[in-house]
Amino acid sequence: MHALRMFIILMILSSFSSLQTGSHTIDSVPYESNVVVISAGEPFNNETKIEFPSFSYRVTLLLYFVIPVLILVFFIMIKIRQLDHTVNDDPPNSGLSS
Amino acid sequence: MRQNLIHRLSRLSPSIRTWLTDRLPVETIDNHLKNKMVPRHRHTLWYYLGGLTAFFLMVQILTGVLLMLYYKPTIDGAHQSVAYIINEVPFGWLIRSVHSWAANLMIAALLLHMVSVFYLQAYRPPRELMWMSGFILLFLILGFGFTGYLLPWDDVAFYATQIGTEVPKSIPFIGPTLVGLLRGGEDIGEATIPRMYTLHVFVLPIATLFLIGVHLFLNQYYGSSKPIKTPLKGEDIPFYPNFLLRDFRIWGFAFILLLCLSILMPWGLGEEADLLRPAPEGVKPEWYFIPMYQTLSILPSQILMIDGETFLNIVLMIGGLIVFLLPFLDRKAKNEERNKFILITGTIIIVYCIGITISAYM
């Protein structure tokens, strides 16, 4: 269990460090240039040009976040199952139920 | 054996454990945590919505603090600073996008939470104060949405806020003063941004955190409400740690949803607001204000010899007061009976709000 925890922590840290020092450094993020963004799906036309990182970069970033969170959720679910078993295993009048 | 606080402390080294137990009322805290039990039944799913709202609020506070480091609440600096956050600040676009999306998800979760409490009639005694504090919290959270919407100072925000601040103008006696206080003058301009900003980052957070404290204390004290005439599925489970871990599981999925929205559909920024430009066609306030805005647009200008806007404001104030005092008005719920009149009336209002919101976007 301890090794798994360390694995999760390392995975999260490596996700961030690879974003900073790996193929996608902050300075070399492949920005999509001249993207016209319409604010929050509003119907009329806006001309302001703001730049977001490219779609491929954003998908990579999403995976860096989502995978550790999913692993964390998986371990939470195991813990829930363990706790539920201990509740069910408690003898009656153990003071657990009000 | 159930893992309680004392059990967890026993894992620490004896010196740290003794130091902590000498200084903190560990047993009292543990007993307090053990007090809250969560019933299991076919509506248990709805219990997650309150925690989910709290999760999104925590995200809002964290991202809001980060945005404050770069945002400038002035008419010249507001739009430029938001553009700077998006274009220049490392991960600024992501933080801003998460803040905007989480605001919408928080309001959605809060509205669903209120609806679920209404249908489960969890407002019945002794939880009247929980309902009332929750009702005020709803208005405070909507206030966050309203005040935060103007801060980027783009076209959409400017005109939507102009429309939004027109509505309370017709409130009898206090309307014009209230609008004047919000706008800092006759129209939205230089004085409006600092006012909205102060409300958004100082006044509303203090009031909200205080009321959340009250709401959570009452929730801990009374525990979760059991729905009327609903068979239970086995024994209640302890909130700490069993249900709290279930909450964390839902928060994990909510976080993934939030990231998917924020990263794949990053929140944009329109053209800088121009006070002299006429309002473009099709400007609408945020989706959670649409029912009120759309109702106003279909009302005749005069109703019962009263101005249409004033009429709507009076109806909304009376309706709000009825909802606020619902635990005292629903006498059947006090006796553990379902009040069909209140449930049907509530359903009609909810269906109307959903219907008119959908029609506004079609």
Side-chain angles (χ1 to χ4, degrees), chain B residues 309-335:
Chain B
E309 276 188 27
T310 312
F311 180 81
L312 180 67
N313 278 315
I314 292 169
V315 169
L316 285 176
M317 281 195 292
I318 294 170
L321 191 66
I322 290 171
V323 176
F324 183 66
L325 298 173
L326 191 62
F328 304 101
L329 301 173
D330 188 354
R331 294 185 178 189
K332 282 191 173 178
K334 278 182 197 171
N335 305 322

Side-chain angles (χ1 to χ4, degrees), chain B residues 2-21:
Chain B
R2 193 182 143 201
Q3 292 186 3
N4 55 24
L5 198 61
I6 295 166
H7 175 74
R8 279 169 200 282
L9 280 176
S10 67
R11 292 176 184 173
L12 298 171
S13 74
S15 56
I16 296 174
R17 192 172 64 231
T18 313
W19 192 90
L20 281 172
T21 47

Side-chain angles (χ1 to χ4, degrees), chain B residues 13-33:
Chain B
S13 74
S15 56
I16 296 174
R17 192 172 64 231
T18 313
W19 192 90
L20 281 172
T21 47
D22 284 350
R23 281 154 186 83
L24 294 170
V26 177
E27 269 193 49
T28 315
I29 295 170
D30 192 55
N31 285 333
H32 188 64
L33 287 172

Side-chain angles (χ1 to χ4, degrees), chain B residues 7 29 37 78 86 95 108 117 153 156 175 191 229-230 265 334:
Chain B
H7 175 74
I29 295 170
M37 303 296 286
I86 296 171
I95 300 295
V117 172
W153 197 246
V156 183
K229 291 175 185 167
T230 303
M265 290 187 277
K334 278 182 197 171

Side-chain angles (χ1 to χ4, degrees), chain B residues 50 53-58 60-61 106-107 110 132-145 147 198-217:
Chain B
T53 311
F55 167 72
F56 285 127
L57 185 71
M58 285 187 274
Q60 286 301 89
I61 292 169
M106 177 174 66
I107 291 170
L110 181 55
M132 291 160 93
S133 59
F135 185 78
I136 300 169
L137 274 169
L138 174 68
F139 275 85
L140 290 175
I141 299 291
L142 289 177
F144 272 110
T147 53
T198 310
L199 283 170
H200 193 74
V201 305
F202 185 72
V203 180
L204 289 171
I206 287 177
T208 304
L209 289 176
F210 170 74
L211 265 176
I212 284 178
V214 172
H215 197 72
L216 289 180
F217 169 77

Side-chain angles (χ1 to χ4, degrees), chain A residues 37 39-40 42-44 46 48 50-53 57-58 65 69-70 73 76-77 79-80 83-84 87 96-97, chain B residues 2-3 37 86-87 91 93 154 156 242 245-246 249 252 255-256 259 263-264 266-271 282:
Chain A
V37 180
S39 178
E42 290 297 332
F44 67 92
N46 285 303
T48 304
I50 53 171
E51 292 176 333
F52 290 117
Y57 174 83
R58 282 186 277 139
F65 278 115
V69 175
L70 277 176
V73 169
I76 288 172
M77 286 163 85
K79 188 75 184 166
I80 290 169
L83 282 171
D84 282 355
V87 169
L96 272 178
S97 57
Chain B
R2 193 182 143 201
Q3 292 186 3
M37 303 296 286
I86 296 171
N87 288 336
F91 296 105
W93 63 274
D154 61 2
V156 183
N242 299 50
L245 278 174
R246 284 172 163 77
R249 180 186 56 183
F255 189 54
I256 290 170
L259 286 172
I263 293 175
L264 300 178
W267 203 269
L269 179 70
E271 199 178 344

Side-chain angles (χ1 to χ4, degrees), chain B residues 50-288:
Chain B
L52 196 59
T53 311
F55 167 72
F56 285 127
L57 185 71
M58 285 187 274
V59 173
Q60 286 301 89
I61 292 169
L62 187 68
T63 52
V65 168
L66 292 172
L67 289 174
M68 276 170 73
L69 300 176
Y70 291 96
Y71 179 73
K72 291 177 185 164
T74 60
I75 198 163
D76 297 325
H79 188 268
Q80 281 178 16
S81 61
V82 176
Y84 180 80
I85 288 169
I86 296 171
N87 288 336
E88 303 293 333
V89 177
F91 296 105
W93 63 274
L94 179 62
I95 300 295
R96 197 243 168 177
S97 196
V98 167
H99 193 73
S100 302
W101 276 112
N104 284 277
L105 291 174
M106 177 174 66
I107 291 170
L110 181 55
L111 289 172
L112 281 173
H113 180 49
M114 288 285 283
V115 167
S116 71
V117 172
F118 170 75
Y119 277 113
L120 298 175
Q121 292 179 291
Y123 52 77
R124 65 190 189 278
R127 293 180 178 78
E128 299 97 322
L129 286 173
M130 282 182 71
W131 171 263
M132 291 160 93
S133 59
F135 185 78
I136 300 169
L137 274 169
L138 174 68
F139 275 85
L140 290 175
I141 299 291
L142 289 177
F144 272 110
F146 186 73
T147 53
Y149 200 52
L150 181 74
L151 298 183
W153 197 246
D154 61 2
D155 257 345
V156 183
F158 175 73
Y159 292 112
T161 308
Q162 203 164 38
I163 295 163
T165 48
E166 280 296 322
V167 178
K169 218 174 189 176
S170 54
I171 295 173
F173 310 114
I174 57 162
T177 315
L178 189 70
V179 174
L181 275 171
L182 275 174
R183 289 180 173 177
E186 274 292 302
D187 297 304
I188 292 175
E190 201 166 356
T192 318
I193 296 181
R195 283 165 191 250
M196 293 289 185
Y197 183 68
T198 310
L199 283 170
H200 193 74
V201 305
F202 185 72
V203 180
L204 289 171
I206 287 177
T208 304
L209 289 176
F210 170 74
L211 265 176
I212 284 178
V214 172
H215 197 72
L216 289 180
F217 169 77
L218 292 169
N219 187 252
Q220 181 67 33
Y221 185 71
Y222 290 117
S224 301
S225 158
K226 288 175 186 169
I228 296 169
K229 291 175 185 167
T230 303
L232 298 175
K233 290 179 182 172
E235 284 186 15
D236 295 358
I237 55 168
F239 177 79
Y240 174 82
N242 299 50
F243 198 81
L244 191 61
L245 278 174
R246 284 172 163 77
D247 263 340
F248 288 162
R249 180 186 56 183
I250 299 291
W251 294 8
F253 290 125
F255 189 54
I256 290 170
L257 172 70
L258 177 61
L259 286 172
C260 287
L261 291 168
S262 308
I263 293 175
L264 300 178
M265 290 187 277
W267 203 269
L269 179 70
E271 199 178 344
E272 187 170 3
D274 185 344
L275 304 178
L276 301 173
R277 206 170 23 221
E281 289 284 315
V283 175
K284 285 192 278 291
E286 283 282 64
W287 60 271
Y288 36 87

